[in-house]
């Protein structure tokens, strides 16, 4: 495309002041690249002009087009981002920076550098989505001129294009770029297959064109009879799509009948369905080949009706029906949703933003990992995955990767719902959490506030990398909290062993000094490091008492005072393993309604004539009780595992022969006593097993529950209250 042709095309939809800015950007780029040549021997400025021309074909706004002219100047010339910012503003500078490769860092390999460059581009997308459109236009022109590169470079670029850029164009709905990127990549990666398909298509072109012409004429006659305005045309299949069909379906070229599709563009959605009815009236539809992407659009906003019918000659014929607006979105995707006003791109509408859930999840993941290669592998997985459409009980459509399970669905609705998931129903029936969802399934997630959170096994069955990351983050947070509590307890224990006062030694000032010495940002990081044995506890205690190596001998009056305080605030240790603060000689018992065990957050409730009853903090029986009757209690810090506590659990599973025996054997293998068990099954083959087991602490309970969950056909395991 020449500069004159570019200006002519841009003038059809941009104002004159925008055209002047485009000319200014061209002159700026021409001077910056003066004297530089491409591998083809052409002046380098031809490349920015072609890139800007592709952006004009997409009808992008003036800021994006200017960025197309300038996208290489920072990387290949002495021009800086600050120069661009002064000349063309912040928005252009942001876009140019987003597509500029990283040059000023040392990398262990070219693969690491490439991965970081790609990650940089996706982070830039978070600031402005137009960044990736510039990059796609840049990649498209580079692919068009790939013949001038060395053979190994051709293979590398073609692979990279098929792995990242073509799927990205597809996800953003820009099929006009996607198909060309795929076809060119195939030409260099599989030249024999590519040219074989090209030659076979040429041999029967006249025959197919005649057939499509007949189909189009018949359709025009049918549509005219119902007085609907429609634009009807034939569309040849792209070479890469034919190649994929041959490979995936193990077919020869002559076995592929739908090399052409007929596209019908009408004025309204109502007309789309009316045309569908007409087609199915005259030609018999093939079972299972109808897809309604109008009611359930793809992630990239693509909307259309697809149907395959037995055509006039008895061969399968694919027909696509859509409105003019749907056609623009199908061809240009994100670009079709860009609004123009006074030369500035307006924010994308809310409907489009909702469709970028997958992208936001990718960006969340990149914030959690420092490994660029790991991020890119996760990205490729999400870009390549096909999708299924499932429904919430309210009828909302949720789009998920093929192979998704109820866990993926739960986390897509909300992270907390995913964390509290204990089971799922699909189409009204209980299913295991590894059930593969299918398009049309109605999914209902069962949650419980008493859930123990995600299982590590979920990492093996979840399909979405974003969901796997959320599960990993949950475990990271849980382990951190446990380590913080464990570390603080270890430090306090060591201080007591050395005869030191917690009040005098474990002060905010002393803790802050130790945190600073170890270069931690928060005291919890110090406690966590001690908890997972990253720092010896004795070393930390030594640091805490550096200003006072020897414990001071308290004055006589102070000793008397401490003894007095000890007597008045004695803590009663019981055979139940619970301490009651501030009260002595009280009868203590564990509540049977919630069966608290060591590790559970607990609270004491003063009963009339029955001492103190220990409840779990989340027990519903104390929610509305008077605060003055509640008292602070805690579990003993005893390492003894001789005490046992009864816990009631409920197991839901698919009823089959041998299920109960497997569950009992599983619990027995953990050396856990079973004090009671009963089971029942309903007409839907759903079994419910109630069991009372004796455990030593909450970790023991977690281990038993996790082991039961691994039994085939188990839907959920949950702790219950009486």
């Amino acid at each position: 495309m020449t500069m004159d042709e570019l200006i002519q095309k841009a003038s059809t939809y941009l104002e004159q002041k925008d055209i002047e800015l485009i000319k200014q950007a061209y002159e700026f780029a021409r001077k910056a690249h003066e004297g530089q040549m491409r591998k083809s021997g052409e002046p380098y400025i031809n490349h920015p002009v072609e890139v800007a021309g592709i952006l004009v074909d997409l009808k992008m706004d003036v800021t994006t087009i200017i960025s197309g002219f300038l996208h290489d100047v920072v990387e290949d010339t002495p021009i800086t981002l600050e120069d661009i910012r002064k000349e063309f503003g912040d928005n252009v500078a942001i876009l140019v920076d987003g597509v500029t490769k990283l040059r000023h860092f040392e990398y262990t390999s070219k693969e690491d550098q490439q991965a970081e460059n790609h990650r940089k581009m996706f982070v830039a997308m978070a600031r402005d989505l137009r960044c990736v459109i510039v990059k796609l236009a840049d990649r498209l022109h580079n692919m068009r001129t790939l013949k001038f590169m060395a053979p190994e470079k051709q293979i590398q670029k073609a692979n990279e294009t098929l792995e990242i850029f073509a799927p990205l164009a597809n996800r953003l709905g820009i099929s006009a770029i996607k198909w060309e990127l795929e076809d060119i990549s195939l030409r260099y990666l599989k030249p024999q297959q590519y040219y074989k398909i090209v030659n076979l298509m040429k041999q029967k072109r006249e025959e197919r064109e005649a057939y499509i012409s007949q189909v189009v004429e018949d359709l025009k006659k049918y549509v005219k009879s119902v007085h609907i305005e429609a634009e009807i045309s034939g569309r040849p299949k792209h070479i890469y799509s034919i190649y994929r069909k041959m490979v995936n379906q193990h077919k020869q070229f002559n076995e592929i009948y739908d090399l052409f599709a007929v596209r019908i563009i009408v004025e309204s959605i109502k007309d789309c369905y009316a045309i569908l009815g007409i087609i199915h009236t005259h030609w018999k539809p093939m079972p299972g080949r109808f897809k309604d992407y109008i009611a359930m659009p793809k992630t990239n906003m693509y909307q259309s009706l697809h149907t395959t019918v037995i055509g006039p000659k008895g061969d399968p014929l694919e027909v696509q029906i859509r409105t003019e607006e749907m056609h623009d979105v199908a061809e240009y995707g994100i670009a079709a949703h860009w609004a123009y006003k006074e030369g500035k791109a307006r924010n994308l509408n809310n409907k489009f933003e909702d469709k970028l859930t997958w992208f936001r999840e990718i960006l969340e993941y990149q914030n959690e990992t420092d490994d660029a290669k790991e991020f890119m592998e996760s990205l490729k997985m999400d870009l390549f995955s096909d999708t299924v459409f499932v429904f919430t009980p309210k009828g909302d459509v949720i789009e998920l990767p093929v192979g998704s399970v109820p866990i993926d669905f739960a986390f897509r609705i909300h992270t907390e719902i995913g964390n509290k998931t204990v089971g799922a129903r699909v189409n009204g029936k209980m299913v295991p959490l590894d059930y593969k969802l299918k398009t049309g399934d109605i999914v209902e997630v069962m949650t419980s506030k008493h859930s123990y959170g995600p299982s590590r096994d979920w990492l093996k069955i979840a399909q979405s990398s974003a969901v796997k990351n959320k599960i990993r983050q949950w475990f990271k947070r849980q382990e951190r909290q446990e380590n913080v509590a464990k570390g603080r307890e270890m430090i306090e224990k060591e201080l007591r062993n050395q005869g030191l006062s917690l009040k005098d030694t474990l002060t905010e000032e002393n803790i802050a000094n130790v945190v600073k010495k170890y270069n931690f940002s928060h005291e919890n990081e110090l406690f966590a490091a001690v908890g997972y044995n990253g720092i010896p506890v004795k070393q930390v205690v030594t640091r805490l008492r550096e200003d006072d190596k020897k414990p001071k001998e308290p004055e006589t009056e102070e000793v008397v005072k401490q003894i007095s305080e000890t007597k008045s605030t004695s803590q009663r240790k019981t055979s139940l393993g619970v301490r009651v603060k501030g009260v002595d000689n009280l009868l203590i018992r564990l509540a049977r309604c919630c069966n608290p065990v060591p590790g559970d957050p607990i609270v004491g409730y003063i009963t009339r004539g029955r001492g103190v009853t220990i409840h779990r903090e989340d027990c519903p029986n104390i929610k509305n009780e008077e605060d003055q009757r509640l008292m602070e209690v805690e579990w003993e810090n005893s390492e003894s595992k001789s005490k046992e506590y009864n816990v009631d659990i409920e197991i839901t599973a698919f009823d089959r022969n041998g299920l109960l025996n497997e569950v009992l054997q599983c619990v027995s293998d953990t050396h856990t006593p079973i004090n009671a068990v009963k089971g029942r099954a309903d007409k839907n083959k759903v079994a419910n097993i109630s069991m009372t087991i004796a455990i030593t602490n909450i970790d023991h309970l977690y281990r038993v529950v996790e082991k039961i969950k691994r039994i085939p056909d188990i839907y959920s395991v949950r702790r219950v209250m009486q």
Side-chain angles (χ1 to χ4, degrees), residues 207-484:
E207 180 183 336
R208 287 196 304 272
E209 288 180 349
Y211 172 61
I212 289 295
S213 295
Q214 178 190 337
V215 170
V216 169
E217 288 303 316
D218 289 345
L219 280 172
K220 285 181 178 178
K221 182 173 61 177
Y222 301 148
V223 171
K224 188 176 181 181
S225 66
V226 293
H227 310 292
I228 293 178
E229 293 291 327
E231 178 185 329
I232 305 172
S233 60
R235 180 187 66 83
K237 287 278 188 178
H238 292 272
I239 298 169
Y240 184 75
S241 66
I242 295 172
Y243 166 76
R244 286 289 300 272
K245 186 167 289 189
M246 291 171 67
V247 171
N248 294 341
Q249 300 179 13
H250 307 289
K251 289 185 176 182
Q252 296 298 317
F253 182 83
N254 56 9
E255 296 178 292
I256 299 176
Y257 296 101
D258 55 343
L259 296 175
F260 273 81
V262 174
R263 180 177 293 149
I264 304 174
I265 299 176
V266 294
E267 292 182 354
S268 67
I269 293 177
K270 178 181 69 175
D271 290 343
C272 290
Y273 289 100
I275 293 293
L276 178 68
I278 293 169
I279 292 171
H280 285 180
T281 300
H282 290 86
W283 295 319
K284 188 174 182 178
M286 293 180 67
R289 294 299 300 271
F290 168 66
K291 295 178 181 177
D292 188 344
Y293 292 120
I294 293 179
M296 293 185 291
K298 292 185 178 182
T299 308
N300 59 13
M301 303 168 299
Y302 177 89
Q303 286 185 291
S304 188
L305 295 178
H306 287 198
T307 185
T308 302
V309 297
I310 304 300
K313 292 185 178 181
D315 294 333
L317 173 69
E318 182 183 312
V319 182
Q320 301 172 353
I321 310 166
R322 60 181 69 147
T323 65
E324 185 68 41
E325 181 184 355
M326 292 174 191
H327 181 64
D328 288 341
V329 173
E331 291 296 305
Y332 306 121
I334 181 179
H337 281 254
W338 218 274
Y340 315 103
K341 188 174 182 181
E342 297 178 357
K344 294 183 179 179
R346 201 171 55 192
N347 289 334
L348 299 179
N349 58 43
N350 292 334
K351 180 180 177 182
F352 177 68
E353 288 290 346
D354 290 341
K355 291 296 181 180
L356 287 176
T357 302
W358 64 273
F359 175 62
R360 287 194 294 270
E361 290 178 344
I362 287 173
L363 290 176
E364 285 176 12
Y365 181 58
Q366 82 86 23
N367 288 329
E368 301 294 344
T369 178
D370 295 325
D371 190 331
K373 281 187 177 179
E374 182 183 334
F375 167 69
M376 289 310 300
E377 288 304 316
S378 170
L379 173 67
K380 291 175 190 176
M381 186 187 304
D382 285 336
L383 287 179
F384 265 122
S385 61
D386 293 325
T387 54
V388 294
F389 298 92
V390 297
F391 296 90
T392 67
K394 293 182 179 180
D396 296 327
V397 180
I398 303 296
E399 190 172 0
L400 298 167
V402 166
S404 290
V405 298
I407 293 167
D408 294 287
F409 175 88
F411 277 97
R412 176 60 62 85
I413 298 300
H414 196 278
T415 301
E416 278 308 304
I417 290 178
N419 288 336
K420 296 294 183 182
T421 295
V422 295
R425 291 188 181 91
V426 174
N427 304 324
K429 294 184 178 180
M430 291 288 294
V431 298
L433 290 177
D434 61 356
Y435 169 86
K436 296 288 192 297
L437 298 174
K438 299 184 291 293
T439 293
D441 282 344
I442 301 173
V443 186
E444 180 184 358
V445 174
M446 295 184 297
T447 61
S448 171
K449 62 182 179 180
H450 305 303
S451 165
Y452 307 114
S455 164
R456 290 194 182 275
D457 289 340
W458 291 6
L459 292 169
K460 301 174 185 176
I461 61 177
Q463 181 68 20
S464 167
S465 59
V467 169
K468 290 180 181 180
N469 182 52
K470 289 178 181 178
I471 295 170
R472 290 191 193 99
Q473 291 304 309
W474 187 88
F475 281 111
K476 190 180 291 185
R477 287 194 300 271
Q478 290 301 110
E479 290 167 359
R480 175 178 169 80
Q481 291 169 4
E482 291 172 7
N483 285 328
V484 168

Side-chain angles (χ1 to χ4, degrees), residues 498-515:
Q498 295 188 23
L500 297 169
S501 165
L502 300 186
K503 182 179 178 182
D504 294 336
T505 309
L506 207 58
T507 63
E508 289 186 7
E509 183 180 355
N510 286 350
I511 293 173
N513 288 337
V514 177
V515 166

Side-chain angles (χ1 to χ4, degrees), residues 577-593:
V578 178
R579 293 175 177 172
V580 181
K581 295 184 177 180
V583 182
D584 199 5
N585 298 322
L586 273 181
L587 178 66
I588 298 175
R589 68 186 185 92
L590 299 180
R592 293 183 179 179
C593 55

Side-chain angles (χ1 to χ4, degrees), residues 489 493 496 573-579 598-599 634-643 645 696-699:
E489 183 180 317
K493 183 177 180 180
R496 283 193 290 267
K573 293 186 180 181
T574 74
S575 60
L576 298 177
V578 178
R579 293 175 177 172
E634 64 182 5
W635 295 105
E636 293 179 15
N637 295 322
S638 173
E639 300 298 325
S640 171
K641 296 188 177 180
S642 60
K643 302 184 184 69
Y645 304 81
T696 56
N697 55 43
I698 199 71
D699 291 332

